[in-house]
Amino acid sequence: MSGEDGGQGRIGELLRDHRESVLDRWVALVVAGLRGRLTEGELRGELTELYGLIERAAGGDGTASGELHAALADISRSRARQGFSPSETAISVFTLKQAVYEQIENAGDPATYTAFIAFSQSVDDLGLVTFETYAAAREQVIADQAEQLLELSTPVVKLWDGILGVPLVGTLDSARTQVVMEALLEMLVDTGSEYAVIDITGVPAVDTEVAQHLLKTVMAARLMGTECVISGIRPQIAQTIVTLGIEFGDIVTKATLADALAYALDHSGVAVDAKAGA
Amino acid sequence: MTTPPPEELAIGSGDDVVRVRQLVRTAAGHAGMSLVDQTKLITAASELARNTFVYGGGGAVRVEHVVNARGRAGVRIAFSDRGPGIPDVDQALTEGWTSGGGLGLGLSGARRLVDEFELETEVGKGTTVTVTKWTR
Ligand SMILES: Nc1ncnc2c1ncn2[C@@H]1O[C@H](COP(=O)(O)OP(=O)(O)OP(=O)(O)O)[C@@H](O)[C@H]1O
Ligand SMILES: [Mg+2]
């Protein structure tokens, strides 16, 4: 807008002249919006920095806007990591409008209302910046969690002396199988186990990719002198595997983890009395 | 009973293959398929989605609810890509034949896992595989 620089200068003045009261009001509004999940002290630090930058930007300082975007991005990222919702994050920006508006109302200068419209738009733009950074940061958080879950959900446990258990849960993709295979082979080296039971009760579907990964894992373990037993093949999976035409060759398969363990114990020479304690 | 509208999804990554499985699981459940039939359809979809991604260089899937002349419900899934096409369809459908490092069981296996299987392909243009499974 020409002529009066959109009136933004007027808002710049207002922000400067009433810094104390507008900032106080802003902090109070944000604190209320976040329902005490951040302390007033923490918020005041953040908002004071933002306020200074917004004041400079509204006053026509070109370099301030770059800094402002960077500072906003930082805040949004940390909000996303702390688990705040998008609206809780955006509130930190949008409430400034209310704080400024209330100040204008108090002053009662009608010319400032026009300036407020332009200012309001630029705050909206800042809100969008917040939102975009927030979304990107959230996605990163989710990706990180998925990776952690990947490692957590592929534990290799010692079931018995010389017998390892690998309970697989969820989707088995290449990345996941790689993690499983590495964890298993490492444990094999560490424990010198003769048997490993791979339990697929928690795997929703076995297609050719999953089968191929399983076969590779079994072969690699075999090269290290360990026999793998696959357990937990549910009826619907068994039928599907057969229809697909997948053959597990000479790999021992058992219906349940308990059966597989019994098999491994039996073959490793541990006597198990089924009637023990009866 | 209201039938949900058809759903489409792009296939451009390994994660999308997982998404296709989830989409098909929901559709098969909605169509009232048995657990065995659901698993078969999901597995067939998994194979075809991966072929679309690996050999077709990515593409799209469309999952729709269908009803046949006798009022039986079913799920139809179409996978399409604009990849290199399949020069020899018989060979591609031969069990154990693979041009990559697979088991060569996906295409032939998927055909057996469903009730209807249709493959349209043109070298240099792309491939569309449409499968249907009816609720028993
Ligand atoms: N959409 C496609 N576009 C081009 N070629 C394809 C497509 N789908 C399958 N093919 C060809 O058909 C062959 C057989 O496919 P099939 O799914 O049976 O086996 P595969 O993918 O090689 O191994 P897997 O058993 O892991 O599925 C593939 O190796 C590939 O050459
Ligand atoms: Mg395949």
Side-chain angles (χ1 to χ4, degrees), chain B residues 40-94:
Chain B
K40 286 183 175 176
L41 187 60
I42 292 161
T43 308
S46 184
E47 293 301 337
L48 298 171
R50 187 141 8 76
N51 283 352
T52 300
F53 169 53
V54 174
Y55 302 108
V61 64
R62 179 185 160 92
V63 179
E64 68 179 320
H65 286 270
V66 286
V67 179
N68 73 3
R70 276 167 292 150
R72 187 188 275 185
V75 175
R76 176 164 297 153
I77 315 169
F79 300 84
S80 50
D81 65 63
R82 292 168 187 278
I86 304 176
D88 186 339
V89 173
D90 286 340
Q91 186 181 47
L93 278 166
T94 303

Side-chain angles (χ1 to χ4, degrees), chain A residues 161-216:
Chain A
D161 251 354
I163 306 173
L164 293 182
V166 192
L168 296 178
V169 179
T171 300
L172 264 195
D173 52 16
S174 306
R176 187 73 200 291
T177 322
Q178 192 63 31
V179 173
V180 176
M181 181 134 72
E182 274 167 23
L184 175 61
L185 297 181
E186 233 165 70
M187 272 287 265
L188 287 182
V189 175
D190 292 349
T191 60
S193 299
E194 260 180 82
Y195 287 90
V197 179
I198 302 178
D199 187 79
I200 60 168
T201 311
V203 178
V206 175
D207 61 6
T208 59
E209 188 186 43
V210 173
Q212 204 180 9
H213 287 319
L214 278 175
L215 292 171
K216 278 188 185 156

Side-chain angles (χ1 to χ4, degrees), chain A residues 171-173 204-209 211-212 215 236-237 239-240 243-247, chain B residues 18 21 25 35-36 39-40 42-43 46-47 50 101-103 105-106 109-110 112-113:
Chain A
T171 300
L172 264 195
D173 52 16
V206 175
D207 61 6
T208 59
E209 188 186 43
Q212 204 180 9
L215 292 171
Q236 66 273 25
I237 304 258
Q239 285 196 45
T240 306
T243 312
L244 254 184
I246 296 168
E247 285 170 19
Chain B
V18 177
R21 281 206 291 267
R25 180 182 301 279
L35 195 52
V36 171
T39 308
K40 286 183 175 176
I42 292 161
T43 308
S46 184
E47 293 301 337
R50 187 141 8 76
L103 295 173
L105 294 173
R112 280 192 303 268
L113 288 167

